[in-house]
Amino acid sequence: EAVVVEGKNSVTLNNVALTGNMQASTDANENVHNIMLYQSMSGDAEVGHSSFTATGGSIIAKAGDMFYVTNTTCTISLSNVALTLANDTLLQVAGNNSSRGWGTEGANGGTCTFTAAGQTMSGNIIVDEISSLDLSLAEGSVLTGAINTSGAAGTVNVTLGSDCQWVLTGDSYISSFTGDVSGITTNGYTVYVNGAA
């Protein structure tokens, strides 16, 4: 991985060029990712809120999801960072199979607050049924991607600033939407808020 933040710790990057290239393990259940925020429960990091902040610079993923959140509560904040994804997943907030002791399977999802300011980003977002996401786009941010394309799962609240855009690349299923729908470019796709188009 490029960065791992465990438990009650934080990483802040200012104008940094960061690259990660995580190799897949023999465990088919292990998520491959570039930046992970999690709690291992091994006792080497205090349990608490994790945070990752990046301003300027670049983040390149050569393998896996750009961001992966599991078994923790966290904040991710991006501003004017050039992102290069390895696959089509910008962010995955999900539980894990607990084979490595990361919480109890079925109850080890993630709770993530993701804030983008002056940020252009692409890729899909996945939030499973035991996880939640508060996504906020501000200061002219643009997201090109879809959220939970397979259908409703965890709680996903989206706030779209007045000068921001969400360009859909697939149907998206969220729990709440705050903002002006004129900021959404549908491309023939639909946003479902609690099941309503």
Side-chain angles (χ1 to χ4, degrees):
E1 302 107 324
V3 170
V4 175
V5 185
E6 182 180 359
K8 196 175 180 179
N9 288 293
S10 64
V11 168
T12 300
L13 304 178
N14 290 307
N15 297 312
V16 170
L18 178 72
T19 301
N21 189 17
M22 180 178 178
Q23 300 303 299
S25 75
T26 56
D27 181 0
N29 294 307
E30 183 176 17
N31 179 271
V32 178
H33 48 266
N34 201 48
I35 296 171
M36 177 169 71
L37 294 91
Y38 84 125
Q39 178 65 55
S40 73
M41 311 307 293
S42 64
D44 59 353
E46 185 177 351
V47 175
H49 194 90
S50 306
S51 67
F52 176 86
T53 302
T55 303
S58 61
I59 302 175
I60 298 172
K62 292 193 172 182
D65 303 341
M66 178 59 80
F67 293 98
Y68 175 52
V69 175
T70 189
N71 198 43
T72 198
T73 299
C74 72
T75 300
I76 298 170
S77 301
L78 301 179
S79 180
N80 197 31
V81 182
L83 300 176
T84 302
L85 277 63
N87 61 21
D88 62 359
T89 301
L90 172 66
L91 169 67
Q92 181 164 185
V93 186
N96 62 84
N97 70 356
S98 72
S99 63
R100 300 181 69 176
W102 299 351
T104 302
E105 186 173 8
N108 56 8
T111 299
C112 179
T113 298
F114 192 113
T115 302
Q119 180 65 46
T120 299
M121 52 192 179
S122 62
N124 295 331
I125 295 173
I126 302 165
V127 181
D128 76 358
E129 63 277 0
I130 58 172
S131 300
S132 66
L133 170 67
D134 287 326
L135 174 65
S136 178
L137 274 63
E139 299 177 21
S141 292
V142 179
L143 170 64
T144 302
I147 301 173
N148 280 354
T149 58
S150 298
T155 300
V156 180
N157 304 309
V158 176
T159 300
L160 191 64
S162 59
D163 55 349
C164 298
Q165 287 183 289
W166 180 10
V167 182
L168 296 179
T169 57
D171 291 343
S172 297
Y173 294 81
I174 65 177
S175 308
S176 73
F177 177 81
T178 302
D180 193 328
V181 294
S182 66
I184 301 175
T185 301
T186 62
N187 285 331
Y189 298 108
T190 302
V191 174
Y192 296 91
V193 181
N194 281 329

